[in-house]
Amino acid sequence: MTPVASKLYTDDVSLLMVLIDTNPFFWNSINSTLSFSKFLSNVLPFLNSILLLNQLNQVVLIATGYNSCDYIFYSSASQNHNQRAESLLQKLEEFVAKDESLCREDSVDGPGFSLLSGSLSMALCYIQKVFRSGPLHPRPRILCLHGSPDGPGQYVAIMNAIFSAQRLMVPVDSCILGAQHSAFLQQASYITGGVHLKPQQLDGLFQYLSTVFATDLHSRSFLQLPKPVGVDFRAACFCHKNTIDMGYICSVCLSIFCKHHKQCSTCGSVFG
Amino acid sequence: MYSLLVPSFCAINKLSSALFQGGNYIFEFDSFADRDICREFVAAAIAFHGETGKSTSEKPAAALQDEQLSTAEMEHRIKLLQEDNELQRLHKQFVIGGILTEAEFWATRKKLLDQNDRRKPKQRVALKNEMWSVKPLSDGQSNRVTFNLTPEIIHQIFAEKPAVRQAYLKFVPNKMSEKEFWTKYSRAEYLHSTKNVVAAAAEAAEDEELAVFLKQDDMLTNEARRKIRRVDPTLDMEADVGDDYMHLPDHGLLREESKDVLDSQYEPYRRYFSQDLNQHAAVVLQGRVVDVELGDTRSVAEALARTKQAELANEVSDGNLEKDLSHRISRVAEIEDLQGPRDLAVAPLCIKDPRDYFDSQQANALKPLGDAGSGVKTLKFNVSSVEAYGSLRELISEIRVTGLSEPITDPEVAFKVLSGLTQNISSTKYHLGKSPHESILDSLPKVTKEDLLHHWTSIQELLKHFWSSYPITTKYLYTKVTRLKDAMSQVYPKLQVHFVLLDNYNCFLYNGLPTCVYNFSCIFSLNSRKLRNLCSQISGIKFPYLSNQCFRL
């Protein structure tokens, strides 16, 4: 993209980072109206429509795999515009092959977990690079098209990524494709001021995407977007995993207990 | 005209009230005794009414008959009002509007009034660094030399020269008057300034008191010895970096020590400039030790003497100083490389099972969300990775071959989705306070917002006074409460105007605002039926017993 004079950068120029979930076990386990090919056939027109909304809009596609993540598509890369989808799909296939080669397990139970923390970090790094490229840049936001369940081992990494997004003032929108809700993405959207949606009808995915997620940040100040009913931030006690409102907290490691203990089970410090 | 034979109490009262009204009266008496008695009474009456008359005429019309305020207080209040716009607005609205009296208004703001009084400067004026120069004013013609001694200078002299202070306490007023004392002292200073040590010795031999001033100060030397013993032997090289004493002799000051070698009998009468300078510097740096009025020389001297004695007593009792000093020396003088490792008093944090620690929250967060499965079922079965990846790749190549479908989505499905979304959005539109980024007030036009906030502060103020007057025991309180009630009921129509205006913008407030005003009135829980009735009278809303109404706007 050739650089443009400042007065041509209007408020609604956006940089959209799309993180698509390419966890094969998840896509395999969905026995429903949305197969991966249908999913792609909804996402590709959506990307095209984003690029049509404004000449200066940019889109970056990142694939969240089972073992790795990678950048699949940059709209700002100079290439033949007619061949965009082609090159995207080509790269996607290569990525899947690479991901398979990294796979160390022979079989996996259930949908498995995809590396959301990795792709979030890659998106944030790209955004940071854009911020540092000069005073003139489009307003970035992240859209997670996610279906795999939340991986508990990634909790810390994801929370860190969410807080970085909050600091950078980058909203994280999330669209849940799987059956269960994702607590991480709900919190992510809540904290960063993004939109969280779990579509009821997955075959109309393109309609959802273009109605809700295509809105740029400037327009969101006067457009009404769907709001989730509420996010449950309550903590769970470490001993029984029950949700509690009031409890005891260890002052050393901040672990939460519902009953008074003599000693913290996590860090071993004695309560005086 | 009043004619009095015997002044009676009620007559005097009538007279007093007549006087208060400010007329002129002539009294006729039968005898001088009567006149004198009457004169006393009348004088007292005039004095009494004169005071109150004066004070009421001074104060502004804003009803201050009950208090007698000093002008300083008035100024203070005016200053506070000038500084704070909001306060001024409230004051104008309530006090000038007659709803609250001045006293009541300021009664709740005692803290503000008190705080300001303490803004007097807390800094104390330090001692002057100027050494009292012995360059007196001398008349070129006559042989007179005049010294100027201000209380400040006297204070400094007493602080720097304990011998002089002691002499003052001893001699004045027993042996000589203060003037004589200072004359002698000035003579001694003059002698020193001439640098004639021999002459000084000669005069000292004649006059005993003068000798005290001329000799070296023993008390000072003792003090210096004590100080030396307590000096911190560790040296802070950093502190002295900026100072440059090397280049100028005598630190650039004019006095020079005489290099003559004198007999030992004259030794006590020599004064060393460096000693004077050091003592002066020490005194100035110490600052004002005594906070006594400088006018009375004797009290200053006594106060200083007392302080010095107290210091001495403290030093004697403080035996730990030696230990502290030696500790400090050992700490500063050690070489880090040669020290052994110091064990820290803290234990390292060891989290036994990190997975358990971090996972526990996440597992639980999913529970209350439930399963809103929308026809998408995940079958839990074991899939081999080869198969999974294989199918994924197949699907990708499928779409590469077939391309995008036309139309992208079935129009009916799209329509269903759109209407579903619209319905969802319109139903959740009125869920307020769910997002941390939304604020009702901010979505209002600025003028409205300011107006609303002002109404809020004024209602707060009224409510504060309202509730503080309960229980109603006197008639005054009852009238006050009624006044406040009327004022509060006037706010509602003003707010209604806002509702109508905002309704045009289709704001969320329409549902929300009456609720928050309703909450204003029941911030405090209403326990008695009487109070509830009064409040429903005010707000026109019937409301039940409320226990924990949280205030929201």
Side-chain angles (χ1 to χ4, degrees):
Chain A
M1 281 266 151
T2 51
V4 240
S6 60
K7 57 181 189 291
L8 293 179
Y9 255 51
T10 52
D11 292 334
D12 50 1
V13 177
S14 43
L15 160 66
L16 180 64
M17 315 287 301
V18 183
L19 315 182
I20 56 169
D21 190 357
T22 59
N23 178 7
F25 305 106
F26 161 69
W27 287 112
N28 205 292
S29 63
I30 279 194
N31 193 6
S32 73
T33 46
L34 193 72
S35 66
F36 192 63
S37 55
K38 281 218 81 181
F39 169 69
L40 281 178
S41 66
N42 279 305
V43 170
L44 288 173
F46 170 66
L47 297 181
N48 282 331
S49 66
I50 294 284
L51 293 169
L52 278 175
L53 277 174
N54 191 313
Q55 232 187 348
L56 300 170
N57 274 354
Q58 295 173 34
V59 170
V60 174
L61 187 69
I62 298 177
T64 315
Y66 188 75
N67 297 306
S68 61
C69 309
D70 201 6
Y71 298 98
I72 301 295
F73 172 71
Y74 309 85
S75 69
S76 48
S78 58
Q79 62 205 35
N80 196 346
H81 290 276
N82 292 339
Q83 302 288 323
R84 274 204 294 236
E86 271 289 326
S87 57
L88 190 156
L89 291 170
Q90 169 86 19
K91 276 215 81 177
L92 192 59
E93 245 193 274
E94 286 167 14
F95 168 73
V96 171
K98 193 179 78 157
D99 204 38
E100 184 178 5
S101 66
L102 290 170
C103 193
R104 271 172 279 163
E105 294 146 349
D106 278 336
S107 66
V108 169
D109 242 335
F113 307 117
S114 61
L115 293 179
L116 180 62
S117 54
S119 51
L120 269 177
S121 314
M122 289 174 88
L124 288 169
C125 287
Y126 188 89
I127 289 172
Q128 186 67 263
K129 191 186 92 158
V130 165
F131 277 164
R132 291 182 194 193
S133 65
L136 213 55
H137 49 76
R139 292 182 67 179
R141 65 183 195 273
I142 299 178
L143 169 61
C144 277
L145 297 169
H146 201 70
S148 321
D150 292 332
Q154 298 174 42
Y155 176 68
V156 178
I158 291 183
M159 293 313 285
N160 284 339
I162 293 172
F163 291 133
S164 320
Q166 187 191 27
R167 289 292 293 277
L168 288 174
M169 294 194 288
V170 171
V172 175
D173 302 331
S174 45
C175 180
I176 306 298
L177 309 166
Q180 64 270 47
H181 282 261
S182 161
F184 292 166
L185 286 175
Q186 263 202 350
Q187 291 194 23
S189 302
Y190 182 81
I191 292 175
T192 56
V195 181
H196 177 86
L197 186 66
K198 190 168 185 300
Q200 302 295 325
Q201 281 192 283
L202 281 173
D203 48 353
L205 183 64
F206 175 73
Q207 186 62 49
Y208 284 105
L209 291 176
S210 57
T211 315
V212 179
F213 296 108
T215 51
D216 57 89
L217 294 182
H218 175 68
S219 317
R220 286 186 190 193
S221 55
F222 44 81
L223 286 176
Q224 293 283 351
L225 293 173
K227 271 192 280 233
V229 179
V231 186
D232 189 358
F233 283 120
R234 278 181 304 172
C237 74
F238 281 47
C239 33
H240 310 111
K241 306 278 188 288
N242 297 330
T243 320
I244 52 173
D245 288 331
M246 295 213 327
Y248 297 87
I249 298 187
C250 168
S251 43
V252 175
C253 63
L254 298 182
S255 32
I256 304 164
F257 303 100
C258 52
K259 282 199 295 249
H260 181 73
H261 288 246
K262 278 276 163 54
Q263 197 189 27
C264 174
S265 56
T266 326
C267 65
S269 44
V270 180
F271 297 135
Chain B
M1 248 165 63
Y2 289 88
S3 146
L4 296 171
L5 292 173
V6 174
S8 68
F9 187 63
C10 46
I12 295 296
N13 257 349
K14 243 196 277 178
L15 179 64
S16 323
S17 52
L19 280 174
F20 177 52
Q21 276 148 30
N24 285 323
Y25 298 92
I26 299 175
F27 299 100
E28 213 178 83
F29 297 97
D30 286 337
S31 70
F32 281 110
D34 289 341
R35 186 199 69 180
D36 290 331
I37 298 171
C38 191
R39 189 170 55 180
E40 280 167 27
F41 274 107
V42 169
I46 289 177
F48 176 68
H49 281 291
E51 264 180 22
T52 48
K54 212 180 359 155
S55 55
T56 46
S57 63
E58 258 180 9
K59 284 167 200 148
L64 286 168
Q65 298 101 339
D66 301 337
E67 302 175 70
Q68 301 231 0
L69 288 178
S70 61
T71 39
E73 273 250 0
M74 280 300 297
E75 275 174 21
H76 187 48
R77 287 183 185 183
I78 290 172
K79 195 170 74 147
L80 276 176
L81 286 177
Q82 276 171 353
E83 284 171 4
D84 191 354
N85 257 342
E86 192 61 42
L87 200 64
Q88 196 175 41
R89 229 169 138 183
L90 283 175
H91 187 262
K92 205 169 78 162
Q93 190 181 349
F94 294 137
V95 180
I96 312 290
I99 302 174
L100 288 174
T101 63
E102 181 90 14
E104 286 164 359
F105 184 75
W106 290 105
T108 50
R109 293 188 164 78
K110 281 212 180 64
K111 234 197 330 184
L112 261 184
L113 291 176
D114 283 337
Q115 231 177 32
N116 254 340
D117 286 340
R118 270 185 262 117
R119 250 200 249 160
K120 279 187 288 233
K122 288 219 179 131
Q123 289 178 319
R124 295 180 299 175
V125 180
L127 295 170
K128 286 214 184 69
N129 193 18
E130 204 186 326
M131 284 178 79
W132 183 51
S133 72
V134 198
K135 297 235 175 358
L137 304 160
S138 56
D139 236 333
Q141 295 158 346
S142 65
N143 269 339
R144 285 175 57 116
V145 170
T146 329
F147 288 83
N148 259 333
L149 281 171
T150 61
E152 182 74 32
I153 294 181
I154 291 178
H155 176 84
Q156 201 154 359
I157 291 174
F158 282 163
E160 286 182 33
K161 302 186 187 166
V164 174
R165 183 182 70 225
Q166 206 178 36
Y168 181 86
L169 288 171
K170 219 166 41 170
F171 295 153
V172 174
N174 311 328
K175 272 191 164 176
M176 52 173 95
S177 77
E178 196 167 327
K179 191 152 177 240
E180 279 173 22
F181 179 84
W182 289 118
T183 321
K184 284 233 165 104
Y185 178 73
S186 313
R187 179 136 186 90
E189 282 297 314
Y190 178 70
L191 281 172
H192 276 301
S193 75
T194 57
K195 306 237 194 294
N196 196 340
V197 182
V198 182
E203 287 234 14
E206 286 171 30
D207 190 350
E208 197 188 284
E209 284 105 35
L210 205 58
V212 174
F213 300 137
L214 291 172
K215 276 217 187 115
Q216 279 172 0
D217 202 339
D218 276 334
M219 289 172 71
L220 260 184
T221 39
N222 284 339
E223 219 177 283
R225 266 196 215 107
R226 266 200 333 269
K227 280 193 196 160
I228 285 175
R229 265 188 234 122
R230 309 168 97 232
V231 158
D232 183 5
T234 62
L235 183 63
D236 187 1
M237 305 285 290
E238 293 282 323
D240 293 334
V241 158
D243 295 339
D244 182 10
Y245 290 126
M246 298 305 150
H247 297 242
L248 303 167
D250 263 353
H251 310 278
L253 292 169
L254 292 170
R255 289 209 213 189
E256 281 181 19
E257 291 193 18
S258 63
K259 310 270 195 304
D260 309 332
V261 177
L262 294 169
D263 293 337
S264 59
Q265 67 174 170
Y266 298 127
E267 258 322 297
Y269 300 103
R270 272 182 93 136
R271 280 252 285 259
Y272 292 98
F273 175 61
S274 51
Q275 280 174 357
D276 285 344
L277 182 66
N278 285 339
Q279 173 63 1
H280 173 77
V283 165
V284 168
L285 286 173
Q286 198 182 25
R288 251 174 229 285
V289 178
V290 204
D291 256 337
V292 186
E293 285 289 321
L294 289 179
D296 185 12
T297 326
R298 186 158 190 97
S299 60
V300 170
E302 279 172 352
L304 278 169
R306 271 200 300 271
T307 351
K308 284 282 184 268
Q309 270 179 345
E311 264 179 36
L312 200 58
N314 276 342
E315 274 176 33
V316 170
S317 62
D318 191 11
N320 286 333
L321 190 68
E322 307 279 327
K323 238 195 296 180
D324 285 341
L325 215 51
S326 60
H327 273 299
R328 200 137 44 111
I329 294 170
S330 58
R331 226 186 17 245
V332 171
E334 68 190 7
I335 304 174
E336 270 168 36
D337 294 344
L338 299 178
Q339 303 297 322
R342 246 181 264 201
D343 52 353
L344 304 161
V346 292
L349 173 69
C350 75
I351 294 181
K352 306 251 169 72
D353 187 2
R355 254 189 104 89
D356 192 29
Y357 180 60
F358 294 123
D359 296 347
S360 62
Q361 295 311 301
Q362 193 269 323
N364 191 67
L366 292 175
K367 264 198 248 158
L369 296 176
D371 212 53
S374 52
V376 177
K377 285 211 166 77
T378 45
L379 306 168
K380 282 218 157 79
F381 49 86
N382 199 304
V383 182
S384 83
S385 50
V386 173
E387 217 183 285
Y389 278 104
S391 70
L392 198 68
R393 267 191 298 192
E394 252 177 52
L395 291 167
I396 298 176
S397 13
E398 183 193 316
I399 192 174
R400 276 177 89 174
V401 164
T402 57
L404 299 172
S405 58
E406 174 111 3
I408 300 167
T409 20
D410 187 23
E412 273 175 26
V413 172
F415 180 69
K416 235 171 36 169
V417 166
L418 195 59
S419 44
L421 273 177
T422 319
Q423 200 194 30
N424 181 20
I425 290 171
S426 55
S427 70
T428 56
K429 191 161 84 134
Y430 293 106
H431 286 192
L432 304 166
K434 297 297 178 190
S435 160
H437 313 282
E438 267 176 32
S439 160
I440 307 168
L441 273 183
D442 286 339
S443 64
L444 292 175
K446 192 161 167 240
V447 177
T448 321
K449 177 178 164 187
E450 279 173 14
D451 224 3
L452 278 174
L453 285 174
H454 177 68
H455 281 306
W456 175 58
T457 38
S458 44
I459 289 189
Q460 281 260 294
E461 185 72 23
L462 288 173
L463 278 173
K464 237 193 314 196
H465 289 282
F466 181 78
W467 289 115
S468 66
S469 3
Y470 271 87
I472 302 179
T473 46
T474 69
K475 190 168 188 302
Y476 165 70
L477 284 175
Y478 185 74
T479 45
K480 180 174 168 191
V481 163
T482 338
R483 241 187 307 141
L484 290 169
K485 181 195 100 180
D486 293 332
M488 280 196 271
S489 46
Q490 278 165 19
V491 177
Y492 282 81
K494 291 188 206 153
L495 287 173
Q496 283 286 344
V497 171
H498 280 298
F499 296 163
V500 170
L501 286 176
L502 293 172
D503 202 12
N504 296 338
Y505 291 125
N506 203 10
C507 234
F508 307 145
L509 277 190
Y510 195 85
N511 292 324
L513 201 58
T515 330
C516 55
V517 170
Y518 164 103
N519 284 342
F520 288 144
S521 323
C522 43
I523 280 177
F524 311 94
S525 76
L526 304 176
N527 283 323
S528 83
R529 205 180 338 130
K530 224 181 188 178
L531 298 183
R532 254 184 282 151
N533 286 341
L534 185 56
C535 285
S536 31
Q537 220 184 333
I538 295 171
S539 55
I541 304 170
K542 273 189 96 56
F543 49 81
Y545 171 72
L546 301 148
S547 50
N548 274 326
Q549 205 40 279
C550 61
F551 169 62
R552 17 179 242 276
L553 175 59

